Amino acid sequence: MRTITFKGLFLTVLFVLLGSLAIQAADDGLITKQITIKLDKAGTLPYRISESKKYLITNLKIVGEVNGTDWKFIRDMAGSDEYGLETDGKLSILDLSDARIVEGGSKYFRYDTYTSNDKLGDYAFSDCRGLTSLTIPSSITSIGLGAFLYCSGLTSLTIPSSVTSIGKSAFQGCCGLTSLAIPFSITSIGESAFAWCSGLTSLTIPSSITSIGKSAFEGCSGLTSLTIPSSVTSIGESAFYECKGLTSLTIPSGVTSIGESTFYYCSGLTSLTIPSGVTSIGKSAFAGCSGLTSLIIPSSVTSIGGEAFYYCSGLTSLTIPSGVTSIEEVTFACCSSLTSLTIPSGVTSIARNAFEGCSGLTSLIIPSSVTSIGDRSFAGCSGLTSLIIPSSVTSIGSSAFRDCSGLTSLTFPSSVTEITDHAFAGCSGLTSFTIPSSVISIGWGAFEGCSGLTSIYVYPENLPKLGKDVFNGCDANNCKVYVPIGTYDDYWLSEFGYFENIEEFDATGIDKVTTSNNAKELSRYSVNGQRLSAPSKGLNIVKYSDGSVKKVAVQ
């Protein structure tokens, strides 16, 4: 009986203790019901909510006027103090529909930021990551710089029709927002206004908008469709940077230029219309748009920036407008599906890496207007089978045609004086080429790895200056080198001595080599070594399938 009494006493004490703890937990728990505070005077909110309740309220409605002093207190409740540091605040729902923001009170954020009449000020809710729902006063006329910067928890927000301006980075990093309507009272979307709102799937841009600022929608990867109204005449740099979810887009006819990185890595974009009024396409404008399969660049375009179409790996064909005079660095690099390309006759220079990695390109005509070909400009174009370098070209950059393994035929013009380092290294499909008499220098490893070579015709009577390993990796036994009469020793002692078979030929007169009756013409050159596509008046040098070479007089 005494045992039973002891157990009963123990259980009674235990229940009392647990009850006390439960009561304590309830007292310290979050206040989830909506708390409505009516302020008779701005600046009095800190006196209406005790310190013990300040960080427990999750749902708050304020009626009346609020100033900087109140705003600082609201920020604390919403999880971020005046220095942007995290607080214990748990406020997630804030209703200011019956409130009015007025000037006065203390600063609410660093940088001496104070409230102004009917303006949602700079950094008003910046870093208040716990806020999920917010109702803005209908009297608000402007939303300031970084007003909602990194409010990552915000899922719902209505911008009132009274708002006429949205500041730079106003909603940047609000990754929880899924939809947003911009009111007709807004005429421009500021720089980075909605940058990295990655959860945004739906957005309505009103017809009142005339300009979209730099990086306005940068990183809005969830955005799948967007209509840019015809009223827009200006789209800033990086405006849609990495909007990977976008599949189609029409640029309004009033837009005259597409800025740097405007559609950078919009990899989901499959359809795009560029209006006829556009005159320039900026650097990296469409870089990484790998889903784009076709694109028409209007004839109005006169300049295309470097890397403009870099890694547009889905593009199969492209016509460059006639008004373009230069192809800049990396412009079409890694467009691996590109099989057809037209370079206009007005182009004078092809910059470094311009077409590097365009492995699908099978043919290319370099116009006679081109005077320079930059470093690695066609490196890795393994699908190219033949190439004629026009006589206007005076310089070919290092590694310009490196690893063009499909190249079987190559013609150097007499205007070329230097073949630079690794210019044709790795062109394993190349079987024969002619070095014109104009060449005075051949760079390091210029033909390294050209393992398919069977013949080389060398016209310079004075041995060119040679770098090291010019022919390293070529077939030393099966490739025959033809050099001018009287130069055998010079060439044999040089890098050309890599080859076992060096033979002199008459580079200035009729060659004495006989030709078999069934030998077929393989190629034809002028006396200075330039390849000819057809018989040309004067002396022609003809190579035959049996290895013989003849000079033929054409009248």
Side-chain angles (χ1 to χ4, degrees):
M1 187 68 181
R2 291 171 64 186
T3 304
I4 294 173
T5 303
F6 176 75
K7 285 185 176 178
L9 181 61
F10 172 75
L11 290 172
T12 301
V13 173
L14 181 61
F15 287 143
V16 170
L17 287 172
L18 289 174
S20 298
L21 289 172
I23 293 169
Q24 184 67 34
D27 289 341
D28 292 343
L30 298 179
I31 303 169
T32 57
K33 70 173 184 177
Q34 187 182 66
I35 302 297
T36 301
I37 301 289
K38 185 177 181 181
L39 299 179
D40 297 322
K41 183 180 179 182
T44 60
L45 183 62
Y47 306 107
R48 299 293 303 275
I49 299 175
S50 68
E51 285 294 323
S52 63
K53 299 295 191 295
K54 177 180 177 180
Y55 293 142
L56 299 178
I57 295 173
T58 63
N59 188 338
L60 177 65
K61 179 173 182 175
I62 299 175
V63 179
E65 295 183 344
V66 293
N67 63 17
T69 302
D70 303 308
W71 211 268
K72 179 178 178 295
F73 195 81
I74 292 170
R75 283 185 54 86
D76 283 346
M77 293 180 70
S80 183
D81 69 10
E82 63 180 304
Y83 302 105
L85 301 176
E86 187 178 357
T87 70
D88 293 329
K90 298 297 187 293
L91 185 64
S92 62
I93 301 171
L94 179 61
D95 184 352
L96 297 175
S97 58
D98 293 325
R100 181 177 178 236
I101 301 171
V102 296
E103 63 182 9
S106 64
K107 71 173 183 179
Y108 63 86
F109 195 68
R110 61 182 185 270
Y111 314 128
D112 291 332
T113 311
Y114 296 88
T115 54
S116 299
N117 290 336
D118 298 319
K119 293 181 179 180
L120 193 64
D122 296 348
Y123 306 104
F125 292 102
S126 63
D127 293 303
C128 292
R129 301 172 193 266
L131 272 179
T132 59
S133 177
L134 177 67
T135 306
I136 302 173
S138 58
S139 58
I140 290 297
T141 58
S142 66
I143 296 174
L145 167 69
F148 298 95
L149 184 66
Y150 300 123
C151 288
S152 54
L154 199 61
T155 57
S156 173
L157 180 71
T158 300
I159 302 173
S161 58
S162 55
V163 172
T164 57
S165 67
I166 297 175
K168 177 180 176 181
S169 302
F171 295 91
Q172 183 174 333
C174 292
C175 53
L177 276 178
T178 56
S179 65
L180 195 68
I182 301 171
F184 279 87
S185 51
I186 303 291
T187 57
S188 65
I189 299 173
E191 183 177 332
S192 302
F194 301 95
W196 303 104
C197 290
S198 55
L200 203 61
T201 57
S202 174
L203 179 71
T204 303
I205 300 177
S207 58
S208 57
I209 297 293
T210 58
S211 66
I212 297 173
K214 178 181 177 181
S215 302
F217 298 98
E218 180 176 338
C220 292
S221 55
L223 208 57
T224 55
S225 65
L226 184 70
T227 301
I228 302 175
S230 58
S231 54
V232 171
T233 57
S234 170
I235 300 175
E237 295 177 1
S238 304
F240 298 94
Y241 184 103
E242 288 196 16
C243 289
K244 297 177 181 179
L246 275 178
T247 55
S248 64
L249 195 69
T250 299
I251 300 170
S253 59
V255 174
T256 57
S257 66
I258 298 172
E260 182 176 331
S261 302
T262 301
F263 299 97
Y264 181 90
Y265 270 83
C266 291
S267 54
L269 203 61
T270 56
S271 173
L272 180 72
T273 302
I274 301 175
S276 58
V278 169
T279 58
S280 65
I281 296 173
K283 181 180 178 181
S284 303
F286 299 97
C289 292
S290 55
L292 210 57
T293 55
S294 64
L295 183 69
I296 297 174
I297 302 175
S299 58
S300 54
V301 172
T302 56
S303 70
I304 300 175
E307 302 177 36
F309 297 94
Y310 169 70
Y311 207 73
C312 288
S313 55
L315 272 180
T316 55
S317 64
L318 196 67
T319 299
I320 301 170
S322 59
V324 174
T325 57
S326 65
I327 297 174
E328 303 298 330
E329 299 174 356
V330 202
T331 302
F332 300 97
C334 297
C335 292
S336 54
S337 296
L338 200 62
T339 57
S340 173
L341 179 72
T342 302
I343 300 176
S345 58
V347 170
T348 58
S349 64
I350 299 173
R352 67 176 183 86
N353 308 93
F355 298 96
E356 182 174 359
C358 292
S359 54
L361 206 58
T362 55
S363 64
L364 182 70
I365 296 174
I366 301 175
S368 58
S369 54
V370 172
T371 59
S372 66
I373 297 173
D375 296 350
R376 300 190 65 87
S377 50
F378 295 93
C381 293
S382 54
L384 274 178
T385 56
S386 64
L387 186 70
I388 296 176
I389 301 171
S391 58
S392 55
V393 172
T394 56
S395 66
I396 299 172
S398 62
S399 300
F401 297 92
R402 185 169 190 157
D403 296 324
C404 291
S405 55
L407 201 62
T408 57
S409 173
L410 176 67
T411 300
F412 286 109
S414 58
S415 54
V416 170
T417 59
E418 179 184 13
I419 300 172
T420 52
D421 295 351
H422 305 288
F424 297 91
C427 294
S428 55
L430 200 60
T431 57
S432 177
F433 65 85
T434 299
I435 300 174
S437 57
S438 56
V439 172
I440 59 174
S441 172
I442 300 175
W444 194 305
F447 298 96
E448 184 178 11
C450 294
S451 54
L453 279 173
T454 57
S455 63
I456 303 172
Y457 286 83
V458 186
Y459 277 80
E461 294 188 352
N462 294 316
L463 180 70
K465 180 182 178 182
L466 301 172
K468 292 184 178 180
D469 300 323
V470 174
F471 301 103
N472 188 40
C474 296
D475 193 334
N477 295 316
N478 294 320
C479 179
K480 182 178 284 189
V481 178
Y482 296 91
V483 299
I485 291 174
T487 63
Y488 177 89
D489 288 345
D490 289 339
Y491 279 96
W492 179 73
L493 289 169
S494 73
E495 285 286 318
F496 281 89
Y498 172 89
F499 297 102
E500 297 292 331
N501 300 309
I502 299 177
E503 183 179 312
E504 291 185 348
F505 80 114
D506 187 353
T508 57
I510 302 297
D511 202 310
K512 300 299 190 292
V513 178
T514 58
T515 305
S516 61
N517 293 329
N518 59 355
K520 295 180 180 180
E521 181 179 324
L522 291 179
S523 55
R524 182 179 291 258
Y525 300 87
S526 64
V527 290
N528 61 10
Q530 184 178 354
R531 186 163 184 168
L532 303 173
S533 58
S536 179
K537 189 174 181 179
L539 286 177
N540 292 192
I541 301 166
V542 183
K543 291 165 56 180
Y544 294 93
S545 58
D546 62 357
S548 62
V549 178
K550 279 189 175 182
K551 272 199 171 183
V552 178
V554 178
Q555 296 182 349

